[in-house]
Amino acid sequence: MYIASEWKDYEVIDTGDGEKLERWKDIILRRPDPQAIWPKQKPGLWTRADAHYHRSTKGGGEWEFFKKLPERWSVKYGDLEFYVRPTGFKHTGLFPEQAVNWDWMANLIRRANRPIRVLNLFGYTGGATCACASAGAKVTHVDAAKGMVQWAGENRKLSGIDETSVRWIIDDALKFVQREERRGNRYEGILMDPPSYGRGPGGEVWKLENELFGLVSACEKVLADDALFMLINSYTTGLQPAVLNNMLTMTVGRTHGGRVAADEIVLPVTCGGVLPCGASGRWWAE
């Protein structure tokens, strides 16, 4: 398992009955999590929640606040800092389990000791973008949502990263990659964090199971000859680590050699155990 265990400002306190209890710096949130199908370990702790997201039987849901919270606040991970806030879709603007991948990529970039260009697809609010840029890479951050790109830019500034380190692109991921291939642009590192389902800026429908292999194949064509890494994240329950392993082996592994590994990605739970958070597939040069 890939375990994101180095957080100080974030903690999964307890899990169970389809929910998780989390500390984001000094604010405690209670949110749904369908993977937590076991009973709560310490039910008494759950009364500490400052806000609770209730899922609706009709889809979506809403927050119940037990005290007035700031509109947004920040959490730190090492030298990085990110804004978080309760959004209308239960999310907070950060997936803390990805910190284990931030560290993996940052270490590869630092050890390379040469200019590294990174392409971050479905870049969301820029956690991986900031991690790679802080390690010295030049990052191209791509997301179809203008609001998410703006949020990522604010995180870049909050983390003290030079504005020349990141290029911001609002576009459909696959179309952008295809244009980069035609332009002859290449990257030493590529990562993608695609949603299970979504729509592009032109109304394009994205369904992960149907689109992922084609996207990975397209990305392989814009990997530099001396590439460092490719990372695929998946939150779709049906896509096991072996699926990601096969995809990377059949594409970048065949053309670039190197090594491939894939595993579950998890967060430690203070009351015991771990919380499953999807899977990650990694390719890196030997």
Side-chain angles (χ1 to χ4, degrees):
M1 292 184 289
Y2 302 139
I3 304 177
S5 58
E6 299 301 315
W7 278 98
K8 301 294 188 293
D9 274 5
Y10 174 81
E11 172 191 11
V12 182
I13 300 169
D14 195 11
T15 59
D17 300 318
E19 293 186 299
K20 55 189 172 186
L21 187 70
E22 312 161 289
R23 177 181 60 83
W24 296 84
K25 203 169 186 176
D26 56 357
I27 293 174
I28 297 177
L29 302 181
R30 179 175 176 176
R31 295 192 291 160
D33 196 302
Q35 295 290 317
I37 62 174
W38 47 86
K40 295 179 175 68
Q41 298 184 66
K42 294 190 177 181
L45 294 177
W46 294 69
T47 59
R48 296 168 52 195
D50 298 312
H52 183 189
Y53 187 88
H54 298 276
R55 193 181 293 280
S56 170
T57 56
K58 299 178 181 178
E62 62 180 3
W63 286 94
E64 177 185 10
F65 295 98
F66 303 116
K67 73 175 187 180
K68 184 174 177 59
L69 299 183
E71 182 178 346
R72 66 178 183 177
W73 64 99
S74 68
V75 296
K76 290 185 176 182
Y77 184 78
D79 294 333
L80 306 175
E81 190 168 2
F82 308 104
Y83 287 116
V84 294
R85 63 178 176 84
T87 71
F89 298 98
K90 88 169 181 175
H91 297 303
T92 62
L94 195 67
F95 294 103
E97 69 274 6
Q98 288 301 318
V100 69
N101 284 326
W102 303 342
D103 290 342
W104 177 71
M105 291 183 292
N107 287 336
L108 289 174
I109 292 166
R110 290 189 183 101
R111 289 204 305 263
N113 198 29
R114 57 185 169 94
I116 300 297
R117 297 160 295 181
V118 171
L119 176 60
N120 184 9
L121 301 173
F122 310 95
Y124 196 49
T125 61
T129 291
C130 291
C132 292
S134 181
K138 296 290 187 181
V139 184
T140 297
H141 175 109
V142 181
D143 198 287
K146 183 178 180 181
M148 292 299 104
V149 174
Q150 181 179 345
W151 193 336
E154 293 170 348
N155 285 337
R156 188 273 311 163
K157 186 175 181 179
L158 189 63
S159 292
I161 295 167
D162 190 275
E163 61 183 355
T164 62
S165 296
V166 185
R167 178 170 62 133
W168 307 102
I169 304 292
I170 301 170
D171 202 352
D172 174 80
L174 179 58
K175 289 182 179 178
F176 179 77
V177 170
Q178 291 169 335
R179 284 200 302 274
E180 289 292 87
E181 181 192 0
R182 293 194 294 268
R183 294 167 179 149
N185 291 334
R186 298 293 181 265
Y187 298 87
E188 286 74 32
I190 299 178
L191 65 140
M192 61 188 77
D193 210 341
S196 298
Y197 180 86
R199 291 185 179 273
E204 306 89 344
V205 176
W206 165 274
K207 190 173 181 182
L208 187 64
E209 296 90 334
N210 298 339
E211 308 291 344
L212 185 57
F213 188 82
L215 177 60
V216 175
S217 298
C219 286
E220 184 275 323
K221 296 175 182 176
V222 298
L223 265 182
D225 292 339
D226 58 349
L228 278 183
F229 67 85
M230 184 184 285
L231 171 70
I232 308 172
N233 288 308
S234 171
Y235 299 97
T236 301
T237 306
L239 294 187
Q240 302 299 319
V243 176
L244 305 181
N245 190 301
N246 286 346
M247 286 188 176
L248 288 169
T249 300
M250 293 175 182
T251 53
V252 63
R254 285 181 178 171
T255 57
H256 286 69
R259 297 183 62 186
V260 173
D263 209 336
E264 287 187 83
I265 187 168
V266 302
L267 285 162
V269 181
T270 301
C271 288
V274 295
L275 179 65
C277 302
S280 290
R282 296 172 173 180
W283 170 87
W284 66 101
E286 289 188 292

